[in-house]
Amino acid sequence: MDPPTEDTKPAGSCEPSNLTEDKKSPQDLVNDKKGIAHGMLGTFFADLKEKKVLKEREIQTLGETVNVIVDKTEGLVGDLTEKTQMV
């Protein structure tokens, strides 16, 4: 008797295409981290303001400084991603 010719994979088996669909792009991972950091810093600054640890202007200056750091970090991550894709 000949073996069955139909596909006999067990239910729930992984196809290679399914594995790549679940992976996030480097940019998506960066955006996820930015969202987490944004939420944490927002809460931190709100606590400082609520507890009157810093004045409104001091918090604003800190926020502007954080924005500069984020912008420069994004540039570095972008450069690193680009260089690793070239290799």
Side-chain angles (χ1 to χ4, degrees):
M1 179 186 250
D2 293 328
T5 56
E6 63 185 85
D7 190 5
T8 58
K9 287 184 181 179
S13 65
C14 287
E15 294 289 330
S17 62
N18 291 344
L19 295 175
T20 58
E21 288 175 3
D22 294 336
K23 291 185 179 180
K24 291 186 175 186
S25 72
Q27 188 59 45
D28 288 340
L29 294 172
V30 169
N31 288 339
D32 289 348
K33 303 301 184 250
K34 281 175 50 179
I36 292 168
H38 183 269
M40 289 173 57
L41 287 172
T43 302
F44 177 70
F45 288 146
D47 287 347
L48 290 176
K49 184 177 177 182
E50 180 183 321
K51 295 177 182 176
K52 298 182 180 175
V53 174
L54 296 174
K55 296 178 184 168
E56 181 75 30
R57 180 65 191 141
E58 293 169 321
I59 293 173
Q60 186 176 5
T61 301
L62 276 174
E64 292 166 359
T65 303
V66 168
N67 285 336
V68 169
I69 293 169
V70 168
D71 289 343
K72 290 185 178 189
T73 303
E74 284 178 345
L76 288 172
V77 169
D79 291 345
L80 180 62
T81 302
E82 186 178 311
K83 288 180 181 180
T84 56
Q85 289 175 350
M86 291 171 48
V87 174

